[in-house]
Amino acid sequence: MSEDSRPNLYLVPTPIGNLKDITLRAIEVLKQADVILAEDTRTSGKLLKHLEISRPLQSYHIFNEHKTVEKLVQRMKAGEYFALISDAGTPAISDPGFLLVREVLQAGLDVQCLPGPTAFVPALVNSGLPNDRFVFEGFLPHKKGRKTRIEGLMEEVRTMIFYESTHRIQKTLEQFAEAFGPERQACVSRELTKLHEENARGTLAELIDYYQTHPIKGEIVLVVAGKNPKSD
Ligand code: SAM
């Protein structure tokens, strides 16, 4: 990578569990950044220490992004090179980043997102559900707007991907069974890339039953088949 052709901002994916999932290029970019913007400097500090990367760290998270974006763009214009990382996976995917990318581009500067770990891709592929077309729904709203979002997906024929927390999964499966029917196929991917990775596949009704007797821990992605276009 020649120093002159570097984009002003790199988005660098970091492991979602297994530390070996960092790419050689991610390490190179992080080593060359003037400043690493991190969602949580303590969490990222541990990863960077493990990778023997010692660069200035600055916090960048949903609570300060609106305030800091403009200043960061000014610093990029002045010639500083930044790398943005989140706690895990690809920044800006259900994580802070979008706002900064938009402002950097609007300022006529350059952005590049490296390919790398993200939870939804392995979950989709592991599910065994059609993956030629899919929709990424991220986190559903907890309260306001939740029902409308689910109802809006009743006619969706593409495979749907959701990020969910373990304490809400049972409720979500039940709401999905009500909206999409209990026989709809789905897959719950838990602890991807980690020691206790598990991909539980079955109908929504089977998964509801399974989690009644198997308390679920860790991080999860829920993948749900789309509506069969041949059914009414
Ligand atoms: N930026 C991340 C990405 O690229 O996937 C997502 C960040 S979001 C705040 C965190 C959510 O991602 C978790 O609640 C879970 O739904 C999902 N997730 C992250 N790591 C995971 C893992 N190892 N196994 C299953 N799901 C995971």
Side-chain angles (χ1 to χ4, degrees):
M1 173 171 47
S2 109
E3 298 247 326
D4 311 323
S5 60
R6 277 193 289 173
N8 309 81
L9 172 68
Y10 271 109
L11 273 69
V12 181
T14 54
I16 57 166
N18 190 323
L19 292 182
K20 290 183 187 156
D21 289 336
I22 188 95
T23 69
L24 296 175
R25 194 152 161 246
I27 296 172
E28 185 185 64
V29 166
L30 291 172
K31 279 189 173 154
Q32 291 181 6
D34 290 325
V35 180
I36 299 176
L37 301 171
E39 190 185 2
D40 181 331
T41 49
R42 278 227 313 237
T43 307
S44 297
K46 284 184 208 152
L47 173 73
L48 295 171
K49 194 169 174 213
H50 168 81
L51 298 170
E52 296 176 357
I53 295 171
S54 161
R55 304 300 306 143
L57 263 182
Q58 187 180 320
S59 80
Y60 181 83
H61 46 68
I62 49 164
F63 303 108
N64 73 0
E65 60 178 346
H66 285 271
K67 268 202 323 229
T68 50
V69 155
E70 210 181 298
K71 217 177 250 170
L72 289 171
V73 171
Q74 292 310 322
R75 287 172 66 183
M76 286 176 208
K77 280 187 174 161
E80 277 184 278
Y81 289 97
F82 288 83
L84 172 66
I85 57 180
S86 62
D87 287 355
T90 300
I93 299 296
S94 296
D95 265 338
F98 162 71
L99 203 66
L100 185 60
V101 169
R102 189 179 63 183
E103 294 302 309
V104 170
L105 292 176
Q106 260 171 19
L109 300 172
D110 215 9
V111 174
Q112 215 179 91
C113 177
L114 299 189
T118 188
F120 78 87
V121 173
L124 171 66
V125 177
N126 286 342
S127 74
L129 296 169
N131 59 28
D132 49 342
R133 295 176 71 210
F134 58 87
V135 279
F136 175 68
E137 284 288 320
F139 289 102
L140 287 173
H142 296 174
K143 291 195 176 98
K144 200 167 173 277
R146 184 178 173 91
K147 202 162 165 267
T148 320
R149 272 275 288 279
I150 297 175
E151 282 170 4
L153 292 168
M154 283 167 73
E155 297 302 314
E156 179 57 67
V157 294
R158 295 168 292 184
T159 299
M160 299 171 276
I161 307 168
F162 303 87
Y163 282 170
E164 191 49 286
S165 75
T166 42
H167 63 272
R168 218 173 282 110
I169 183 69
Q170 194 68 358
K171 176 181 160 197
T172 303
L173 289 170
E174 282 163 15
Q175 288 179 323
F176 282 2
E178 207 173 297
F180 310 143
E183 294 311 308
R184 185 73 69 89
Q185 290 291 322
C187 177
V188 177
S189 286
R190 189 174 72 82
E191 299 287 82
L192 288 160
T193 78
K194 300 182 196 174
L195 191 62
H196 299 293
E197 170 165 345
E198 176 190 55
N199 295 281
R201 304 173 185 87
T203 63
L204 289 169
E206 285 166 344
L207 290 169
I208 291 167
D209 272 359
Y210 179 73
Y211 288 118
Q212 258 151 17
T213 48
H214 296 77
I216 186 166
K217 281 198 202 130
E219 295 192 286
I220 46 174
V221 182
L222 171 58
V223 183
V224 183
K227 184 180 176 183
N228 182 344
K230 288 183 197 126
S231 68
D232 339 299

